[in-house]
Amino acid sequence: MNNNNNNNYYNNNSMNQGNSKIQVVLRKRPLLQKEIEKGNGAEVVEVVNRQQINLLDPDEINHRYNLHYNVNKNRFKETHFTFDSVFDENSNNFQIYQEVGEQYLNDILEGFNTTIFAYGATGAGKTYTMVGSKDMPGLMNIMLDGLFQKVKQKEVTHDVTVRIAYMEIYNENLKDLISSDQKNLDLREDPKSDVTLIHGLTEVEVTDPQSIANILKIGAKNRSKDSTISNEASSRSHAILQISIESADRAEGLEKEIIVSKLSLVDLAGSERAWSNKSKVSKLEGAKINQSLLTLGNCIQALSEQSEKGPSKNNFIPYRGSKLTRLLKDSLGGNCRTVMIANISGSILSFEDTYNTLQYASRAKNIQVHVHKNVIQSSNHVSNYAAIIEKLNRENENLRNILNSENGRFPPINGNSPMHMNNQLDPQLSQQLEQLEQLVKVHFDEEQGCFRTIQESQMKQEKIYKMNLKLQQELQKGSANNQQAQHFREQLQINNQGMQNIQQTIQEMNQRFRSLQEGRKMIIQKVKGAQLPPKMITYLQNLVAVNEAAISNLEKELTYKQNEDKIREKEIEIAELSDQLQLRDRILIQQKNVLEQNEIAPHYSKFANIKDTNIIISSISPAYTQNHSININHNGGGYGNNYNNLNISMHSIDQDSIPSMTKINNNNRYSNPRQSADRVGRPVAKNILSIQDIQNLVKPKSKGKKRFIPSARVQSQVNLSAKNPTNFTNSPSGSNSSHKRPLYPYLNAKKQRVQKMQGDPLHSHTPQYQKQKKNMQSSMMEEQSTANISYSDTNLSPNSKNPYSSYNYQNYLVNKYTNHIYSIQNLESLDNSQRKSSNNTPSIKNKGGINKVQSQRNMPTFQQRKNIVEYDVHQSPYVKSFKNAEEAAASRKNKLMQLNLNLDHLKELYTKRQNNQ
Ligand SMILES: Nc1ncnc2c1ncn2[C@@H]1O[C@H](COP(=O)(O)OP(=O)(O)OP(=O)(O)O)[C@@H](O)[C@H]1O
């Protein structure tokens, strides 16, 4: 068997990313002395070729060698096995490396994880293969030597870091083989990456193969050993050497790429059943060693089935069953190229172990892994750019020196390089290099120029835009005189023309910049494909990278500057805003103070004392538009000395108001027991009217729309809206008014009832009928009487210190939404008009006059009521100061208005800022 044949015929592992199968390699070791002695040198394994072996029938071998070795295998027939590669007893570790290990090194440095593990029974040659012996270095050493050679090559252009960790799993305990601390280590799964992490593991950065050899020696010393009958120096632990490689392009360019990978080299413990050996290993220990191996076997079985049948719900891979499988999880079923070296002895004495190993290895052949490159991308921050450019330049300086020394291509940097004299470079190459160099330089000069022009133009545009905004604001303010305004307009025109020109330049430059970027791609291709020595190509590529970085730097600097400007603007805004907030608070305090100035509060409540039909609207607030109900306290009017009375109290407060709605009324004015019920026996009750009802009530009559009037005595409509607060009309029924007052519904009903009784001989003369008839007539009469409406703050304490008391709050609202004062004015104007229209105005000083009027007629006439109103109004000591109060209220209103304007202005500023964000 010639293992020196270098034809690579086991290339089932594609070097690209994607699916690949575990590579299973079989290694048969030479017979040991004792096997030759004990077993007569009888072998049961026949290597057929570099991929196939036969496991011979042991009975036949027993027979051939005249042996009686009991192999415990019933009727075993010669069996044929195929693997990715087979190494016979003549192969050495270097050959294994060359044919199995070396091929992975490049990929490891390119970011592919790789695991090589040796599997087999005790004494089958695992440690020999992985760790080696005194005379023969194992794969751990050889692979790392090879890796370091590759690292050195890569270090020309990359920063490479190699770190090593060495650990063992013994008795299901994980130990650090590098550290002298023999503590058990913890395994943890990172929930995010699903990667098993080892807590507290020593990782040593290594820079040369010698330090690796030292670490391996320390590790070998620390490894748990036990002398078993089957193998004197057998290790009963699983040893794992983990090499982590991290590399980043030194000329990292614009996007930083860090390639990370892991090479794991594993020497497993003997796979035979520990307790079947006559070793001193306790059953527990044996079981624990095997726990890992059994779980490994189960994982291999499950993975193999999964690869054959595809993933299924029932196909659970029991990685968590042991520490070994938790650690090798990635190597077995994850992102890792894996090589299993199945070690066997050909001796008939090991038939059973060999058979088991071959079965195991055959199953592992089916396992598929999905491999991908591990690359971490990180975009460089603007502050890194200078460093990158410096680094690239340094890199190129080095390359330049190397090229100089090799070829004498470049003129010496310090002018006296001896290598310069040694002008060995092929003139054609030299010319080609120079041309490409020139091409790169010219190209990037233009790109940079173009980019700068765009930047500058955009800045100019921004400036002009801001200037225009100011000019427009000045014009809008209207404070400029004609000449100035003319000047502003001319300036705007010039600016706009300038803006157009700049816009055109930007467009052209952008177009040019885009085509230059296309050109850049072509140059990169040209450099890549140039027929030049690799170092020259690297030099040129670096030159491109330096220039690319410079442009990106410009871009980043611009963004950085823009962001900084934005931040500065924001900071100014924040400062202004906090000033405004302070101002707002000051205004609010001032508002509160104004609200608390009780001395100027007019005592509208006086009006409530007029014994007449009143609609007392305590506040007209935005609640009109909100879903507040309004308490109406309807006092059924009485007879005799009691005037009909309807008080509507509206305490509708907007949503963030503090007080709840209250009803107000002067119910208690009535001593007549009938006050508890209205004339038709309806109990006096608070009727909850909807906003709509109130609106209907107070709205001017609209044609075709039925208005609900909660009292027979309410005949006047008033528009309380702020827009038209003076629209106060009085339209007594029966007068010439164009307003036809609808009959109050219960009166209609009553009328009908009375009419019914009239037609009924049984009832028409009964006292009940008479009473009802009278009642109805008086009601109707009453209904026809006139009413007036006044607005009043009844039951509201004008002396309240609480700015949110109904009174103050209401006044605040009134001032804000304007109508209360108008209402009073209305009342006054009504009085005035009344006075004008009536020459026999009763003496306002004659209080008895009122009684007289009242006693003369049960129900005061409209005229009389007006007079009463007039009388009372003018009698009131408050009304005397009405003008003053009105003025005070107006000035307060102005103050509040000003404060509100300030607040509105603040709000406006705030919204503007928010919109600009
Ligand atoms: N390919 C080989 N060429 C020469 N000698 C070998 C080879 N393989 C193994 N041996 C020898 O066989 C013996 C057992 O090998 P080794 O210790 O490597 O077995 P192992 O499988 O690691 O056993 P354990 O499971 O106990 O660690 C050693 O003396 C070793 O030197």
Side-chain angles (χ1 to χ4, degrees), residues 632-647:
I632 302 279
N633 198 334
H634 177 202
N635 283 320
Y639 299 99
N641 290 330
N642 291 319
Y643 296 121
N644 301 314
N645 185 44
L646 170 73
N647 291 328

Side-chain angles (χ1 to χ4, degrees), residues 204-357:
V204 181
E205 193 175 327
V206 283
T207 47
D208 57 90
Q210 188 47 47
S211 47
I212 294 168
N214 291 339
I215 288 167
L216 289 178
K217 267 186 209 157
I218 298 169
K221 250 194 218 165
N222 287 335
R223 213 174 151 185
S224 306
K225 284 183 181 165
D226 180 80
S227 171
T228 63
I229 288 170
S230 50
N231 190 357
E232 290 285 315
S234 169
S235 57
R236 302 203 312 272
S237 67
H238 311 284
I240 301 153
L241 180 72
Q242 221 165 53
I243 302 109
S244 310
I245 303 113
E246 219 180 271
S247 63
D249 196 339
R250 220 174 288 137
E252 59 200 21
L254 317 179
E255 290 288 310
K256 196 172 182 180
E257 232 186 41
I258 301 165
I259 299 170
V260 286
S261 57
K262 212 163 65 179
L263 167 65
S264 308
L265 298 167
V266 187
D267 177 19
L268 295 176
S271 61
E272 74 290 339
R273 289 184 308 166
W275 55 89
S276 76
N277 279 353
K278 292 171 199 134
S279 70
K280 292 169 195 156
V281 174
S282 71
K283 280 207 170 181
L284 179 70
E285 185 188 331
K288 281 201 168 171
I289 292 169
N290 272 359
Q291 184 183 334
S292 279
L293 284 167
L294 282 173
T295 314
L296 180 66
N298 292 338
C299 289
I300 288 177
Q301 176 74 32
L303 284 162
S304 153
E305 278 170 15
Q306 179 177 286
S307 301
E308 272 172 8
K309 298 175 195 161
S312 82
K313 259 196 257 167
N314 304 329
N315 204 338
F316 168 70
I317 320 288
Y319 293 119
R320 289 194 63 87
S322 76
K323 292 226 162 88
L324 178 72
T325 43
R326 280 170 76 186
L327 272 175
L328 293 186
K329 185 178 166 192
D330 239 12
S331 311
L332 292 166
N335 169 31
C336 190
R337 293 223 168 93
T338 303
V339 182
M340 172 182 179
I341 303 177
N343 293 86
I344 53 163
S345 155
S347 166
I348 190 165
L349 304 176
S350 307
F351 175 83
E352 212 178 327
D353 289 337
T354 301
Y355 173 76
N356 286 336
T357 302

Side-chain angles (χ1 to χ4, degrees), residues 344-397:
I344 53 163
S345 155
S347 166
I348 190 165
L349 304 176
S350 307
F351 175 83
E352 212 178 327
D353 289 337
T354 301
Y355 173 76
N356 286 336
T357 302
L358 290 172
Q359 292 274 14
Y360 210 88
S362 292
R363 272 201 296 268
K365 279 193 311 184
N366 297 322
I367 299 176
Q368 272 207 334
V369 283
H370 185 83
V371 287
H372 60 80
K373 217 174 154 164
N374 301 306
V375 179
I376 300 163
Q377 297 272 6
S378 73
S379 190
N380 270 305
H381 186 261
V382 64
S383 56
N384 290 348
Y385 272 76
I388 293 165
I389 293 172
E390 202 190 309
K391 215 171 173 185
L392 281 167
N393 279 331
R394 232 184 299 128
E395 187 72 9
N396 257 11
E397 201 87 311

Side-chain angles (χ1 to χ4, degrees), residues 426-642:
D426 175 348
Q428 249 188 343
L429 287 184
S430 174
Q431 200 187 352
Q432 208 187 332
L433 179 68
E434 252 162 42
Q435 277 174 357
L436 282 171
E437 210 177 4
Q438 197 58 20
L439 188 69
V440 171
K441 280 180 181 163
V442 169
H443 173 86
F444 279 103
D445 276 354
E446 194 178 350
E447 252 194 55
Q448 278 199 23
C450 201
F451 186 78
R452 276 185 207 284
T453 315
I454 295 172
Q455 269 187 28
E456 280 159 16
S457 306
Q458 280 172 343
M459 270 147 68
K460 265 189 219 163
Q461 221 178 15
E462 183 77 25
K463 249 189 202 167
I464 298 178
Y465 175 75
K466 279 183 184 162
M467 203 199 283
N468 278 3
L469 264 187
K470 269 189 192 160
L471 288 170
Q472 272 157 356
Q473 276 168 3
E474 285 299 327
L475 281 171
Q476 269 168 13
K477 257 198 254 164
S479 54
N481 61 34
N482 279 350
Q483 204 184 346
Q484 282 169 328
Q486 181 59 25
H487 173 71
F488 291 155
R489 275 189 283 272
E490 277 167 14
Q491 191 58 48
L492 266 174
Q493 226 172 8
I494 296 167
N495 285 355
N496 286 339
Q497 185 57 47
M499 285 274 263
Q500 269 177 20
N501 294 342
I502 295 170
Q503 189 55 35
Q504 205 180 337
T505 314
I506 292 175
Q507 266 173 11
E508 283 166 11
M509 284 293 131
N510 273 333
Q511 223 170 348
R512 180 71 194 131
F513 193 62
R514 275 194 293 276
S515 73
L516 280 169
Q517 279 177 322
E518 283 304 308
R520 192 202 284 192
K521 282 184 200 156
M522 277 158 65
I523 288 176
I524 290 169
Q525 283 304 320
K526 217 171 179 175
V527 165
K528 207 176 164 191
Q531 297 294 312
L532 286 171
K535 274 175 193 160
M536 285 192 180
I537 291 182
T538 313
Y539 167 77
L540 288 169
Q541 282 174 334
N542 279 356
L543 201 64
V544 171
V546 168
N547 281 293
E548 277 182 325
I551 290 202
S552 282
N553 198 20
L554 279 179
E555 279 171 12
K556 297 235 169 180
E557 260 173 17
L558 180 72
T559 331
Y560 185 71
K561 203 182 151 308
Q562 282 171 343
N563 284 345
E564 258 195 343
D565 287 351
K566 263 190 205 152
I567 289 167
R568 211 170 299 126
E569 271 174 32
K570 283 272 168 298
E571 275 170 358
I572 294 170
E573 267 177 39
I574 289 167
E576 279 178 9
L577 216 60
S578 56
D579 279 354
Q580 285 171 17
L581 282 177
Q582 280 175 12
L583 181 64
R584 183 205 63 181
D585 291 343
R586 278 205 300 278
I587 293 170
L588 285 175
I589 290 166
Q590 284 171 25
Q591 274 185 329
K592 205 174 147 212
N593 291 340
V594 172
L595 286 173
E596 280 172 347
Q597 288 167 2
N598 291 319
E599 75 281 11
I600 60 162
H603 287 238
Y604 302 127
S605 54
K606 271 287 137 189
F607 293 97
N609 293 330
I610 300 165
K611 290 184 179 179
D612 208 343
T613 300
N614 296 314
I615 296 177
I616 301 162
I617 299 173
S618 302
S619 73
I620 305 299
S621 80
Y624 258 125
T625 57
Q626 290 167 21
N627 192 20
H628 285 286
S629 58
I630 289 162
N631 284 344
I632 302 279
N633 198 334
H634 177 202
N635 283 320
Y639 299 99
N641 290 330
N642 291 319

